[in-house]
Amino acid sequence: MIESILDRMTLEEQVSLLSGADFWTTVAIDRLGVPKVKVTDGPNGARGAGSLVGGVEAACYPVGIALGATWNPELVRRMGASLAGQAKSKGASILLAPTINIHRSGLNGRNFECYSEDPHLTGELAVAYVQGVQSEGIAATVKHFAGNESEVERQTMSSDIDERTLREIYLAPFEQTVRRGKAMAFMSAYNKLNGVYSSENDWLLTQVLREEWGFDGVVMSDWFGSRTTAETINAGLDLEMPGPTRDRGDKLVAAVRDGKVKPENIREAARRMLVLLERVGAFETPPDLNERFLDREEDRTLIRQLGSEGAVLLKNNGVLPLEMTSLARIAVLGPNAATARIMGGGSAQIATSYAISPLQGIQAALQNPNSMQHAVGCRHNRLVELLQADIHVEFFAGHGREGTPLHIEKAVKGEFFWFDLPEKRLDPTNFSVRLSTTFTPDETGEHVFGMTNAGLARLYIDDTLLIDGNDGWTKGENYFGTANDEIRASVTLEAGRRYNIRVDYDTPEANGEGIYITAVRFGVERPLGIDAIDEAVELARNSDVALVFVGRDGEWDTEGLDLPDLRLPGKQDELIRRIAAVNSKTVVVLQTGGPIEMPWLDDVAAVVQFWYPGQELGNAVADVLFGDVEPRGRLPQTFPRSLWDNSAMAGHPETYPGKDGHVRYEEGVFVGYRHHDARGVEPLFPFGYGLGYTEFNWSQPTVSSREFGSEGISVTVDIQNVGSRSGSEVVQLYIRSPKGKVERPDKELRAFAKMFIPAGQTGTTTLAIKPRDLCYYDVDLSAFHAEPGTYEILLAANASDIRSVTQITLSHAYILPPEA
Ligand code: BGC
């Protein structure tokens, strides 16, 4: 069928398939019965079409690093299948996920979206995710291919990575999603790889991905991440996104006529688009693109389960699990207690129907909710708190809000990110908006207003200009580097008085380059003084336990912006210290999208890391704190003692964040624990680390053979739960290679198994290793290469806790070409 459609297509029609129709859909060709399909972000929920900050409600699942911490491919597979249902409810056939770049610096704004610093763990989880999504007939889109480990100058930066490092670390998980996951789509990265844009990189998209790994799906660009006509198509980029086209359409037809692009290349790319449509069943049942909210009990249950599955208990002097009966007074403190921080920022955001805060979760779990008291202590928001109010929104053609509005609507919060405008007569690059609302303060005193805008905006209070985001506007970091930095202004307001707030907005100049965004965000807050900390400390002093909810939120952990450091923002370190000084049962519940420094670690009784686990956050927190479920996660990323212990910082700024348009991955394969091991840098918490509520005894393993043959070997170990509670243990198998031609990491994760073992019982697991697991990538041979010698199999509870070492012999070399 596909061949016959291709035969009947004109060149123009073939070309039309190779760009989006609009932001989220592909082009239909009605004449030939080629349907239109929709794509949707993203990794932790299906947002549907429309704005990044709104849209039809959707279920919110854990972010990537929280999945990384589960070490549980089976559960991730179930999440993939569940997400596919969510995608269908949004009329989408293609999910723009998973994000599987590697945790390198700890500072990547999208660290939260990625799984791990280790390619094997990332690969296993990514394969499970892809298989889960695709088992329900939805295509997964593996992204961002490749070398997108930071958001700094992300549209232009070149990630300079040597081939061995690419093959062993950064490309390895992508390879697995092709070979084992059978991923139907890939997304190229914004950045350049070794000087060539990923979207124009023939080596990456054609030689490696298609010819060596056998990928037969579609490669699409990241949004506005393709910028040429012949170069992208010739390199193997099938689909330019979003639409309507910028560099294809007539330009691509002309390039074919001028001989710059072969007609066969167009036909091939068009064929791959049609095959994709066929694979997602779009020819059989042309998709209904309408969107609805799918709220399934089983999704809620799965999300709640994933919460504890990825929660990592980092320290516990015995205070956890909490004994509900012995706690007359519980203090629930900190900026993440009453506000549910359930996801990261950027394109992974979705509109949720509900989000359970830790405070709500604990309240629901407590038999006597009166025993609980709350104080916020301090704030950590990067931007002034968003204004939540009824807002009257008027759209006008052209700038200056003249004449009658073409469209009027209501909004409920002061953040607008316009993609598809509500009225056809509005030109997306030349419109203006008036936003009107009121604000009635609870308290008299100083209030801080803040606004950031992509485009030009002014904020008025009672018709007096308070913030000028128009005159002298300069580009800052918000909204993927298209908005100014937030401008703040203080004003004294009276409690109970109603103030009129107005924001006048005009679209920015369109210069035809890169990403074009129209957005504005404004908010207001009361500055919190030192008395806020005092109040929290007083509650802690008079309570039996102090639960301190700290971390960051999706304004810090966000696409478009890297983190400034690995510290808890605001006064949170001070808050924790002061609370710990008055309450010996201080439990810190962390929520960040990556590692942080913990200067207060010795002072507190327990620490548990919850990441951003989705809409069931508070319930999952209560499950773990009260011991209904064990915290079952293990760190997917090393927590260094300090940022400067991180491999990427060694050659700062060349190695991070980059200099003169290049970021050099100079540490090579020595990233994460490979760096800590090889350079003797002791981490704060090692890769793979996590405690539970029970204890295990590990037996000595048995191996199927001491002599390594082409069928590989298997390693079997018994683990006994010697505690009185059920629990889970993650057996981690690392390989230590003999000294050879090149320096290799001290050990590398090659297999793992998560086991659930009831109290008093013994579980058995068998892990398999194949020849490729012994190999490094030999650039001289252009092949994966295992040199003969004695290899050690380490079974470990984490990268610093090795429980057994077994030697095996390899008597002759393996040389495996990359296409093998
Ligand atoms: C992100 C992608 C995302 C796309 C569409 C880009 O900014 O990098 O991950 O899928 O937008 O929202």
Side-chain angles (χ1 to χ4, degrees):
M1 179 190 76
I2 285 178
E3 286 315 307
S4 112
I5 297 178
L6 282 168
D7 289 343
R8 284 181 286 148
M9 274 178 157
T10 62
L11 174 64
E12 285 74 6
E13 283 169 335
Q14 291 183 357
V15 163
S16 74
L17 281 186
L18 309 183
S19 305
D22 53 30
F23 237 87
W24 308 113
T25 64
T26 61
V27 169
I29 305 176
D30 297 335
R31 182 180 85 81
L32 300 169
V34 177
K36 175 194 258 310
V37 295
K38 189 193 279 184
V39 304
T40 179
D41 285 310
N44 54 278
R47 188 180 58 242
S51 165
L52 288 195
V53 296
V56 177
E57 288 167 342
C60 180
Y61 297 70
V63 301
I65 194 167
L67 299 183
T70 67
W71 292 66
N72 189 336
E74 210 27 64
L75 211 53
V76 171
R77 187 186 316 272
R78 278 178 49 202
M79 170 171 147
S82 156
L83 265 174
Q86 292 288 329
K88 288 178 195 171
S89 73
K90 298 291 179 288
S93 310
I94 300 167
L95 189 72
L96 303 176
T99 306
I100 62 163
N101 298 101
I102 292 287
H103 294 154
R104 177 171 178 254
S105 65
L107 296 178
N108 181 7
R110 299 183 93 166
N111 198 86
F112 77 90
E113 236 182 287
C114 307
Y115 294 151
S116 173
E117 69 186 23
D118 181 80
H120 179 75
L121 178 58
T122 303
E124 291 299 300
L125 297 171
V127 166
Y129 184 105
V130 167
Q131 289 175 342
V133 170
Q134 296 191 164
S135 68
E136 294 292 318
I138 297 292
T141 310
V142 185
K143 65 190 189 182
H144 307 86
F145 195 53
N148 188 180
E149 272 73 35
S150 153
E151 292 294 281
V152 178
E153 296 170 28
R154 68 170 183 167
Q155 311 277 341
T156 52
M157 187 68 92
S158 174
S159 297
D160 293 353
I161 316 177
D162 67 85
E163 188 177 356
R164 172 180 170 207
T165 303
L166 276 171
R167 300 272 190 181
E168 290 183 30
I169 308 282
Y170 296 95
L171 299 187
F174 287 96
E175 180 181 0
Q176 293 309 315
T177 62
V178 175
R179 290 191 194 275
R180 287 165 47 221
K182 307 284 177 231
M184 295 185 204
F186 258 50
M187 188 189 290
S188 61
Y190 281 125
N191 53 281
K192 298 174 189 144
L193 183 64
N194 294 321
V196 182
Y197 275 111
S198 300
S199 58
E200 301 172 3
N201 202 313
D202 176 72
W203 177 78
L204 189 66
L205 303 186
T206 296
Q207 295 176 44
V208 172
L209 177 61
R210 292 215 164 86
E211 293 171 9
E212 291 179 6
W213 300 346
F215 178 68
D216 61 0
V218 161
V219 182
M220 70 183 80
S221 71
D222 199 345
W223 267 230
F224 303 99
S226 102
R227 48 188 93 211
T228 51
T229 303
E231 289 85 342
T232 55
I233 192 87
N234 288 341
L237 185 87
D238 302 310
L239 179 63
E240 173 199 44
M241 285 304 283
T245 184
R246 297 171 304 284
D247 300 308
R248 293 188 168 183
D250 294 345
K251 290 186 194 168
L252 185 49
V253 171
V256 175
R257 307 240 192 265
D258 294 347
K260 291 191 189 124
V261 175
K262 293 195 193 114
E264 306 89 91
N265 284 5
I266 302 289
R267 191 179 161 108
E268 268 313 302
R271 175 187 286 110
R272 289 194 286 258
M273 286 301 297
L274 295 175
V275 168
L276 179 61
L277 299 187
E278 188 178 47
R279 285 178 174 164
V280 298
F283 285 112
E284 241 164 85
T285 322
D288 167 6
L289 303 183
N290 288 317
E291 308 203 342
R292 66 195 169 86
F293 170 38
L294 178 66
D295 186 14
R296 292 183 296 203
E297 195 53 46
E298 66 261 35
D299 294 344
R300 292 181 178 217
T301 310
L302 176 63
I303 293 168
R304 183 167 180 167
Q305 189 185 348
L306 280 159
S308 50
E309 196 71 25
V312 186
L313 182 59
L314 295 171
K315 176 175 179 181
N316 186 12
N317 71 3
V319 67
L320 292 179
L322 299 173
E323 273 295 340
M324 225 181 266
T325 45
S326 68
L327 300 171
R329 283 154 312 171
I330 301 183
V332 179
L333 309 168
N336 281 11
T339 309
R341 321 282 185 181
I342 63 170
M343 59 190 157
S347 64
Q349 291 174 84
I350 51 172
T352 48
S353 68
Y354 72 92
I356 312 279
S357 70
L359 195 65
Q360 289 169 318
I362 291 168
Q363 204 150 28
L366 283 179
Q367 283 125 13
N368 172 14
N370 297 338
S371 60
M372 190 184 76
Q373 283 190 294
H374 166 64
V376 66
C378 65
R379 286 213 186 88
H380 61 48
N381 39 319
R382 190 174 71 81
L383 303 171
V384 168
E385 280 185 9
L386 193 63
L387 185 75
Q388 314 266 358
D390 286 334
I391 302 176
H392 184 70
V393 188
E394 297 164 282
F395 291 87
F396 300 83
H399 286 176
R401 288 153 296 283
E402 278 168 21
T404 332
L406 291 186
H407 179 81
I408 297 178
E409 63 185 30
K410 289 258 169 271
V412 292
K413 56 180 186 190
E415 186 171 29
F416 300 85
F417 199 133
W418 292 289
F419 277 155
D420 290 328
L421 293 171
E423 159 55 57
K424 289 218 162 20
R425 283 173 294 165
L426 291 167
D427 172 352
T429 60
N430 186 23
F431 69 93
S432 52
V433 181
R434 170 159 299 142
L435 306 166
S436 318
T437 185
T438 59
F439 175 65
T440 310
D442 295 334
E443 291 173 51
T444 296
E446 189 192 351
H447 285 72
V448 179
F449 281 78
M451 182 168 74
T452 168
N453 38 286
L456 301 173
R458 290 195 175 102
L459 184 147
Y460 300 84
I461 178 160
D462 283 347
D463 292 323
T464 306
L465 180 65
L466 183 66
I467 297 179
D468 192 346
N470 189 320
D471 291 354
W473 181 97
T474 41
K475 197 156 125 45
E477 293 188 313
N478 297 319
Y479 294 107
F480 314 124
T482 64
N484 54 356
D485 286 334
E486 185 179 59
I487 304 178
R488 296 183 178 194
S490 289
V491 56
T492 302
L493 304 179
E494 277 171 41
R497 193 180 138 192
R498 201 161 78 168
Y499 295 87
N500 290 320
I501 311 288
R502 188 177 94 232
V503 171
D504 287 344
Y505 174 87
D506 294 283
T507 51
E509 287 298 315
N511 59 10
E513 270 176 30
I515 203 159
Y516 182 81
I517 283 178
T518 51
V520 59
R521 180 198 185 281
F522 55 97
V524 55
E525 67 189 29
R526 279 270 289 149
L528 279 187
I530 200 73
D531 2 330
I533 296 195
D534 293 343
E535 191 196 338
V537 172
E538 280 323 298
L539 281 188
R541 194 194 307 276
N542 298 313
S543 298
D544 301 312
V545 64
L547 307 176
V548 195
F549 292 87
V550 290
R552 296 190 295 245
D553 64 9
E555 279 166 4
W556 291 104
D557 286 294
T558 180
E559 178 181 343
L561 188 67
D562 273 13
L563 291 152
D565 51 44
L566 295 186
R567 301 252 175 74
L568 285 177
K571 295 203 170 86
Q572 296 184 93
D573 283 340
E574 184 185 340
L575 177 71
I576 298 168
R577 272 215 179 96
R578 289 199 43 206
I579 290 171
V582 299
N583 192 317
S584 61
K585 288 191 175 162
T586 294
V587 176
V588 175
V589 179
L590 280 173
Q591 278 198 272
T592 54
I596 56 143
E597 295 166 10
M598 301 183 201
W600 33 259
L601 182 61
D602 291 342
D603 308 337
V604 302
V607 183
V608 47
Q609 168 63 272
F610 257 93
W611 323 106
Y612 302 114
Q615 63 193 25
E616 289 285 331
L617 162 68
N619 288 332
V621 164
D623 289 344
V624 164
L625 295 185
F626 295 113
D628 297 323
V629 188
E630 208 193 26
R632 287 177 168 161
R634 301 289 184 271
L635 289 182
Q637 181 174 20
T638 309
F639 276 36
R641 287 185 183 280
S642 121
L643 168 66
W644 296 94
D645 287 348
N646 205 304
S647 65
M649 301 308 289
H652 168 84
E654 284 85 353
T655 53
Y656 181 87
K659 205 173 159 221
D660 302 328
H662 291 261
V663 55
R664 300 211 315 259
Y665 288 39
E666 230 167 44
E667 72 281 12
V669 299
F670 298 96
V671 60
Y673 65 87
R674 290 164 168 83
H675 158 80
H676 286 268
D677 283 351
R679 312 291 172 237
V681 183
E682 204 192 312
L684 184 61
F685 292 108
F687 174 76
Y689 183 85
L691 306 168
Y693 291 158
T694 183
E695 298 287 321
F696 297 95
N697 269 349
W698 293 38
S699 72
Q700 276 305 306
T702 54
V703 286
S704 58
S705 162
R706 296 268 174 182
E707 186 65 42
F708 197 91
S710 54
E711 68 294 350
I713 60 163
S714 59
V715 186
T716 301
V717 64
D718 293 334
I719 310 270
Q720 190 190 3
N721 181 345
V722 291
S724 55
R725 303 173 63 103
S726 296
S728 59
E729 186 74 313
V730 179
V731 179
Q732 305 169 27
L733 186 157
Y734 297 84
I735 292 196
R736 181 175 283 150
S737 314
K739 290 223 174 333
K741 202 166 94 177
V742 296
E743 187 192 0
R744 298 188 61 178
D746 174 63
K747 62 177 181 293
E748 299 188 87
L749 184 76
R750 294 301 195 220
F752 62 88
K754 190 167 197 177
M755 304 171 68
F756 301 94
I757 309 172
Q761 296 196 18
T762 299
T764 302
T765 188
T766 299
L767 299 163
I769 325 165
K770 297 272 175 265
R772 168 88 178 254
D773 297 325
L774 305 188
C775 293
Y776 67 99
Y777 188 77
D778 189 329
V779 282
D780 300 329
L781 301 176
S782 296
F784 287 93
H785 184 185
E787 290 161 316
T790 303
Y791 288 77
E792 288 180 349
I793 297 175
L794 317 179
L795 291 192
N798 64 61
S800 298
D801 182 4
I802 295 164
R803 301 292 173 90
S804 67
V805 180
T806 311
Q807 296 193 332
I808 53 164
T809 315
L810 178 68
S811 9
H812 49 259
Y814 278 105
I815 295 173
L816 310 170
E819 61 277 14

